[in-house]
Amino acid sequence: MITLEQGYELTFRAPKAEGPLVIEHDVPNFAHVILLASETKNFAKDITPQSFVQLLGKKTNLIIALSSKQTPMSSLAAEFSLTLPPPGTPLVSYFPEREESPQVIPVSVQANSIVSSNINPVWFSGVPHSIGNNPMIVPILRAPEESFASETDGGSPDSLVDAAERGGEGLWAGSQLSLVTGFQTLDNSRVTFVGGVNVFSDEFAQKEISKGLPSGNAAFARDVAAWTFQETNVFRIESTTHHRVNATEPPEQYTTNDRLVYNAYISKYDSKTSTWVPYPEIRDLQLEFTMLDPHVRTALLPVSSNPGKYSATFRVPDRHGVFKFVINYKRKGLTYLTSSMTVPVVPPRHDGYPRFLSAAWPYYTGAISTSIAFFLFSALWLAGDSREKKAKGHKAE
């Protein structure tokens, strides 16, 4: 799964050993932690569910193997919306017909954003788990449709039935169960829960699915480890720019109804060269121009002439205030892309309005006609008054 040629420095530790500590003085001592002691019930003081949650908060990635027995890691899985069956109830399947134990199951690998599309079926032996509705869960390997959790490992059939009734009919059967599940936190640290440590064993990696068909355990383990350890599906926003149309520099403030251009530059991590390369293949990226609520939501489309550049042009809303450019791109299995930039939007200055508005011609006409009518009325009134005075003068004579 992990080789020294990949640049990793490996440190091994027994479950009850006192050192080296995984976290010391709130500072992680390792970039990644793998816990394969699935059957152990007692660990050292620094290996607890709370310390693993703290490691994730410090951006340390985890691979944790689960067991059909009750262990401290069972309670850790529940913190990530994973529900394990009662103790002593591993996954069982009698199909396809084979010489192996019903608990050793060939599982087809469905291609997704984490594992490759050409991986052969893998051997699995361990415990399944059901997954909740948490949007940060990333299912990696599903159980076969004909499989189910059974009390073959010292479990109680009554407890299994009770658990199924509490969770709903068919809770511990079929492809709704997950065998390997990932979880990505909001700060992009990753943890993978594996239902059985044997998935990563040399025995299963060298065991054939059928005559002439090798298992895909080795390739599957490499893909899972690469995703968990931030080697694949890692993106970042390099920079963002904004300016008015036909301009190049960002203004201090925008005016209502301005036309503006927003650009984002996105790169993907290449683990082979340890470099960031422009990534132009995101087709569903969106930009929001918000003030409490989004006033504009538009697509950020890739620019073909400039790989890695995404651009959108839109009109500033006819409302002044403090707005934000917001990118909030979250997809299962990919690092989350988030960006927020604040800009003020002001109304036009007193001399920034147009002199005449076509929509105001009825008002212009009314004002002009009223002025002309008043002038004519005044002229007629004054002319009529002078004629009356002349007529009175002639009568007096």
Side-chain angles (χ1 to χ4, degrees):
M1 181 171 64
I2 299 175
T3 62
L4 294 175
E5 288 77 8
Q6 293 176 270
Y8 291 104
E9 296 181 5
L10 305 182
T11 300
F12 296 90
R13 174 184 170 184
K16 297 182 180 179
E18 296 299 328
L21 300 176
V22 295
I23 186 169
E24 189 174 9
H25 305 303
D26 290 334
V27 178
N29 289 326
F30 301 93
H32 317 288
V33 174
I34 305 173
L35 181 64
L36 300 181
S38 58
E39 303 291 332
T40 303
K41 293 187 177 181
N42 297 314
F43 293 91
K45 294 181 179 180
D46 63 317
I47 303 179
T48 63
Q50 293 78 11
S51 66
F52 281 174
V53 171
Q54 188 177 7
L55 283 172
L56 284 174
K58 303 293 184 179
K59 296 188 177 182
T60 296
N61 306 298
L62 309 174
I63 292 180
I64 299 174
L66 302 173
S67 171
S68 60
K69 299 179 181 179
Q70 186 69 29
T71 69
M73 296 304 111
S74 302
S75 60
L76 176 63
E79 297 292 332
F80 296 88
S81 301
L82 306 183
T83 305
L84 275 66
T89 54
L91 189 71
V92 172
S93 177
Y94 295 93
F95 299 95
E97 185 177 355
R98 59 192 183 279
E99 298 179 355
E100 288 78 9
S101 166
Q103 297 183 36
V104 180
I105 307 169
V107 182
S108 297
V109 180
Q110 300 294 328
N112 51 47
S113 60
I114 297 176
V115 296
S116 306
S117 58
N118 56 350
I119 295 182
N120 293 336
V122 300
W123 290 106
F124 177 84
S125 177
V127 62
H129 49 267
S130 64
I131 57 179
N133 295 323
N134 195 315
M136 292 183 283
I137 290 177
V138 186
I140 300 175
L141 184 65
R142 294 278 191 173
E145 294 181 353
E146 66 278 0
S147 62
F148 57 95
S150 176
E151 69 287 354
T152 59
D153 194 17
S156 168
D158 293 335
S159 64
L160 190 62
V161 172
D162 292 341
E165 290 178 350
R166 288 195 302 269
E169 184 179 358
L171 176 64
W172 307 116
S175 58
Q176 64 180 342
L177 296 177
S178 184
L179 308 180
V180 180
T181 302
F183 189 99
Q184 185 166 264
T185 65
L186 291 176
D187 59 359
N188 289 320
S189 55
R190 294 170 175 176
V191 55
T192 300
F193 291 92
V194 184
V197 67
N198 289 332
V199 174
F200 300 142
S201 66
D202 291 338
E203 177 187 356
F204 280 6
Q206 299 169 5
K207 185 180 180 64
E208 292 185 341
I209 298 294
S210 60
K211 187 174 181 180
L213 180 64
S215 71
N217 286 68
F220 178 78
R222 283 194 295 270
D223 285 351
V224 170
W227 179 82
T228 308
F229 297 157
Q230 307 275 347
E231 293 182 5
T232 60
N233 294 346
V234 179
F235 302 88
R236 73 180 182 187
I237 299 176
E238 297 287 352
S239 62
T240 59
T241 63
H242 60 89
H243 54 81
R244 291 188 178 93
V245 173
N246 299 325
T248 57
E249 296 297 327
E252 294 183 359
Q253 59 190 20
Y254 287 99
T255 304
T256 56
N257 296 315
D258 276 350
R259 296 281 297 176
L260 65 85
V261 179
Y262 182 88
N263 300 314
Y265 299 85
I266 298 177
S267 298
K268 181 179 181 180
Y269 181 69
D270 185 353
S271 60
K272 295 181 180 179
T273 60
S274 298
T275 58
W276 293 88
V277 296
Y279 187 75
E281 299 180 14
I282 300 177
R283 305 299 177 185
D284 54 351
L285 189 63
Q286 287 186 335
L287 169 70
E288 292 181 349
F289 196 58
T290 68
M291 185 173 65
L292 298 181
D293 295 320
H295 286 61
V296 175
R297 181 182 286 122
T298 185
L300 269 174
L301 301 177
V303 179
S304 58
S305 60
N306 191 348
K309 178 181 178 180
Y310 297 79
S311 182
T313 303
F314 62 94
R315 182 178 63 84
V316 176
D318 191 10
R319 184 175 181 181
H320 60 275
V322 179
F323 283 79
K324 290 194 298 184
F325 296 104
V326 176
I327 296 177
N328 188 17
Y329 185 78
K330 291 182 171 67
R331 298 295 184 271
K332 287 184 180 294
L334 310 181
T335 50
Y336 305 141
L337 296 176
T338 57
S339 175
S340 179
M341 183 183 300
T342 302
V343 293
V345 175
V346 298
R349 290 168 49 88
H350 68 281
D351 57 352
Y353 293 93
R355 289 293 182 182
F356 296 98
L357 301 176
S358 59
W361 272 112
Y363 303 99
Y364 298 154
T365 304
I368 294 172
S369 62
T370 301
S371 300
I372 294 174
F374 179 77
F375 176 78
L376 292 176
F377 174 78
S378 300
L380 293 174
W381 177 268
L382 294 174
D385 186 56
S386 67
R387 285 198 296 268
E388 288 180 0
K389 289 182 179 179
K390 289 180 179 180
K392 289 180 180 180
H394 288 306
K395 289 179 181 181
E397 292 176 357

